[in-house]
Amino acid sequence: MSVPLLEVEGLTVTFPTARGPVDVVRGISFSLGRERLGIVGESGSGKSMTGRSILRLIRPPGHVSAGRLVFDGIDLLALSERRMRALRGARISMVMQDPKFSLNPVMTVGEQIAEALLTHAKLPRRALKARVLSMLEAVRINDPERVAGLYPHEVSGGMGQRVMIAMMLIPEPDLLIADEPTSALDVSVQAQVLDIIDDLVTGKGMGLILISHDLNLVARYCDRILVMNGGEIVEECRASELHLARHPYTRGLLAAMPRMDEDRDVLPVLDRGAWTTGAGT
Amino acid sequence: MSATAIHLENLSISYGKTPVVHDVAFSVAEGESFALVGESGSGKSTILRAISGLAPEWTGAIAILGKPRGHAPDRDFAKVCQMVFQDPYGSLHPRKTVDDCLAEPLAIHGIGGRDARVRDMLAAVGLDQRFRFRFPHQLSGGQRQRVAIARALMLSPRVLLLDEPTSALDVSVQAEILNLLKKLRREQGLTYLMVTHNLPVVSFLCDRLAVMRHGRVVEIADVSALKTGRLADPYSRELYAASGGALQPA
């Protein structure tokens, strides 16, 4: 934590609408070392936009501004699009939500993973193939040789997501942003995929930003948690101390979740008037 | 409460040549809330689709409130058994207002007093009257799911089939819909057959559950077994552990 990997200060993302510009992220600040940070919030809280703006993936007319957006000493806002492209994938990469829509349907799994590596490094074909197969093995795919030759529609959702993780981790980035990496997956597969991410991230000493709407899941896999609501960070706490959360929104979210040993007759519902988040979005 | 609302016997379902569900049998008592859990592809939604007539290639027997169900679409059947789908963004007609959507089942069945019935139903699912003439895209996800539930209840059915009714919703909205479902069941004495992969939701809303895998029911248990972590089948226990539960010896 001595030199942060990523520093964000006053990050704001704005979209123009018919009723004037709307800030979907309102001047948030945080820093990240080589640790696992969770960002939690409901739909529309700005959590995905935060992740995307770090990679400068917000398309016009969306606009990103920040006091500071520094990754490992590099000012991301000042980089040219060309230098930014060199950075994406190689040093910061992102796992998307749904493997069905994020993988190229007309390329085999092996080709796609190799492409991710070739974009940033020149390698002889044999070494390339070996790297791809060992990466597939690292994400616990049993028969890498066979799977590398399959097309995305021939693999299951869980396997597709592991392929995507392999693709994102093969250039050995320093920071991985995972945006709802398991929400398209079954509960039983979710844990496997997160365990793989966790192993690889801690094994290589990378930084991880895990974006999710699931408080318990984030608490299980992260060191620190940011809770977002209405484009602002309403609470920051250590994952182990989540149950001590003080903000009414966080407490409301925790209480609204049914428990395994549920005996309440009615679930408490969020009273959105209990806190203020500026103008509604 | 002793009558049987849903009775399935030797039910096998296939899509074309692919068998999906094998030899499933269970009964749900009237007024009971029963859950089907399992991973995707285990055939749990297919059972709901077969009961509601959307997957007609089945063999075996399906009976609702003692009446056997045939393979053809059945108007009388629609009056006693209705379904709520997973995705409120996909299950409402985008160019029909909430009013059209709720009045349509009444028009099909030739039931009068539509104006009052629509108004009452909106109130029952906790939607303000000002939403009545809006289109689905003007509503939030939670409001749409309320409309979908209202539509299913328009014909005053006795049995409701719920296909992952809250999995597309945020946690706080999920809590509102779960409370609503619980309230409606209490007020109208409904029977629920709910498909979900979320075990805590089962714990909140259901009395019994069936765990499915590869098209077969591997275990039928009381919800108390779920609450205390005493499921018997190894696969059920695996599912329970993956959902973050602490296992107890069975």
Side-chain angles (χ1 to χ4, degrees):
Chain A
M1 276 299 276
S2 51
V3 183
L5 190 60
L6 178 74
E7 284 175 87
V8 179
E9 254 179 60
L11 176 72
T12 301
V13 180
T14 313
F15 280 88
T17 66
R19 277 177 240 152
V22 167
D23 292 348
V24 294
V25 178
R26 308 160 178 267
I28 64 167
S29 307
F30 62 92
S31 69
L32 173 82
R34 294 191 179 267
E35 60 176 333
R36 299 167 302 170
L37 176 73
I39 301 183
V40 202
E42 296 193 285
S43 9
S45 62
K47 57 189 194 303
S48 292
M49 283 298 157
T50 304
R52 290 177 151 259
S53 56
I54 293 167
L55 276 167
R56 288 215 345 228
L57 284 176
I58 309 265
R59 292 211 180 102
H63 179 75
V64 179
S65 63
R68 247 167 96 74
L69 190 59
V70 178
F71 166 74
D72 200 14
I74 308 165
D75 183 0
L76 294 178
L77 288 174
L79 279 189
S80 67
E81 192 48 41
R82 189 196 177 89
R83 304 251 330 264
M84 195 65 215
R85 258 202 313 274
L87 196 85
R88 280 187 205 124
R91 309 232 25 220
I92 311 179
S93 65
M94 188 161 183
V95 176
M96 303 281 182
Q97 186 167 357
D98 196 335
K100 272 198 210 92
F101 300 111
S102 309
L103 294 173
N104 184 342
V106 294
M107 265 171 106
T108 64
V109 161
E111 282 167 5
Q112 293 188 52
I113 299 175
E115 188 191 32
L117 189 56
L118 274 184
T119 312
H120 301 288
K122 282 272 167 285
L123 273 178
R125 201 181 303 172
R126 190 175 301 224
L128 184 66
K129 189 168 179 206
R131 280 282 293 278
V132 169
L133 293 185
S134 74
M135 196 66 225
L136 279 173
E137 226 162 282
V139 293
R140 292 180 214 159
I141 283 176
N142 288 330
D143 189 357
E145 198 86 42
R146 184 180 67 86
V147 173
L150 297 178
Y151 286 91
H153 74 269
E154 298 174 298
V155 302
S156 66
M159 208 188 260
Q161 198 58 296
R162 281 184 270 174
V163 166
M164 189 135 71
I165 293 167
M167 203 157 104
M168 292 308 147
L169 289 180
I170 199 165
E172 303 189 332
D174 297 295
L175 172 62
L176 181 71
I177 302 172
D179 188 357
E180 305 262 11
T182 59
S183 58
L185 305 178
D186 272 324
V187 187
S188 46
V189 189
Q190 265 181 14
Q192 287 173 21
V193 168
L194 286 167
D195 283 338
I196 291 170
I197 293 183
D198 191 42
D199 274 1
L200 296 173
V201 164
T202 41
K204 293 190 170 134
M206 296 162 44
L208 171 72
I209 299 181
L210 180 63
I211 299 171
S212 174
H213 65 272
D214 189 336
L215 263 173
N216 287 333
L217 184 128
V218 167
R220 241 190 295 167
Y221 285 94
C222 293
D223 305 313
R224 218 151 46 92
I225 296 180
L226 303 177
V227 181
M228 285 188 72
N229 177 233
E232 286 166 357
I233 296 177
V234 296
E235 179 134 20
E236 180 179 350
C237 66
R238 301 212 61 80
S240 51
E241 289 160 8
L242 181 65
H243 58 281
L244 301 175
R246 277 198 307 271
H247 193 275
Y249 178 70
T250 320
R251 299 204 62 85
L253 277 188
L254 282 171
M257 241 171 328
R259 288 187 293 255
M260 195 66 93
D261 55 346
E262 192 56 66
D263 47 13
R264 292 174 289 184
D265 194 37
V266 177
L267 293 171
V269 170
L270 276 183
D271 174 13
R272 288 170 198 278
W275 64 93
T276 49
T277 54
T281 44
Chain B
M1 282 299 195
S2 54
T4 314
I6 304 171
H7 184 69
L8 307 180
E9 230 177 88
N10 301 329
L11 181 67
S12 299
I13 310 165
S14 57
Y15 288 126
K17 280 185 188 142
T18 321
V20 182
V21 172
H22 315 275
D23 258 345
V24 166
F26 59 79
S27 305
V28 182
E30 201 172 350
E32 196 183 8
S33 170
F34 192 89
L36 288 173
V37 301
E39 58 192 20
S40 30
S42 61
K44 51 194 196 309
S45 294
T46 303
I47 293 183
L48 293 200
R49 294 175 63 87
I51 297 175
S52 61
L54 292 169
E57 293 177 56
W58 52 267
T59 58
I62 300 176
I64 301 294
L65 294 167
K67 248 185 95 187
R69 192 205 192 307
H71 287 75
D74 185 345
R75 202 170 270 207
D76 289 335
F77 175 79
K79 281 190 185 170
V80 292
C81 182
Q82 284 283 330
M83 183 148 162
V84 177
F85 296 88
Q86 176 173 12
D87 183 4
Y89 293 86
S91 66
L92 296 178
H93 195 301
R95 298 184 66 171
K96 284 190 173 173
T97 61
V98 170
D99 183 65
D100 291 337
C101 167
L102 296 187
E104 191 169 5
L106 298 178
I108 292 172
H109 289 267
I111 299 171
R114 287 179 213 160
D115 180 64
R117 278 170 178 265
V118 169
R119 208 175 319 129
D120 292 350
M121 192 50 72
L122 280 177
V125 297
L127 276 178
D128 199 275
Q129 297 299 326
R130 66 197 155 99
F131 292 112
R132 186 167 167 188
F133 295 101
R134 292 199 186 170
F135 288 97
H137 71 265
Q138 294 168 307
L139 307 177
S140 70
Q143 289 163 348
R144 285 182 215 208
Q145 199 58 299
R146 283 175 196 264
V147 173
I149 293 172
R151 177 179 56 185
L153 291 175
M154 278 319 280
L155 294 172
S156 324
R158 311 293 313 138
V159 177
L160 217 49
L161 307 173
L162 304 162
D163 191 359
E164 309 230 19
T166 59
S167 66
L169 306 174
D170 273 328
V171 187
S172 58
V173 184
Q174 164 175 295
E176 291 172 19
I177 297 294
L178 290 177
N179 286 338
L180 172 69
L181 286 171
K182 202 165 195 172
K183 183 187 92 159
L184 290 171
R185 180 176 154 225
R186 194 170 45 224
E187 288 174 358
Q188 311 192 6
L190 295 167
T191 306
Y192 287 164
L193 177 59
M194 181 168 79
V195 160
T196 182
H197 58 253
N198 189 331
L199 291 180
V201 166
V202 174
S203 174
F204 178 71
L205 197 63
C206 298
D207 306 321
R208 281 194 303 152
L209 72 154
V211 182
M212 291 194 63
R213 186 182 204 189
H214 303 325
R216 291 173 202 280
V217 171
V218 299
E219 181 174 4
I220 294 179
D222 200 77
V223 76
S224 61
L226 174 70
K227 287 182 182 178
T228 51
R230 289 175 201 277
L231 294 170
D233 186 81
Y235 176 71
S236 321
R237 293 173 71 83
E238 198 182 298
L239 208 62
Y240 181 80
S243 305
L247 282 169
Q248 300 293 322

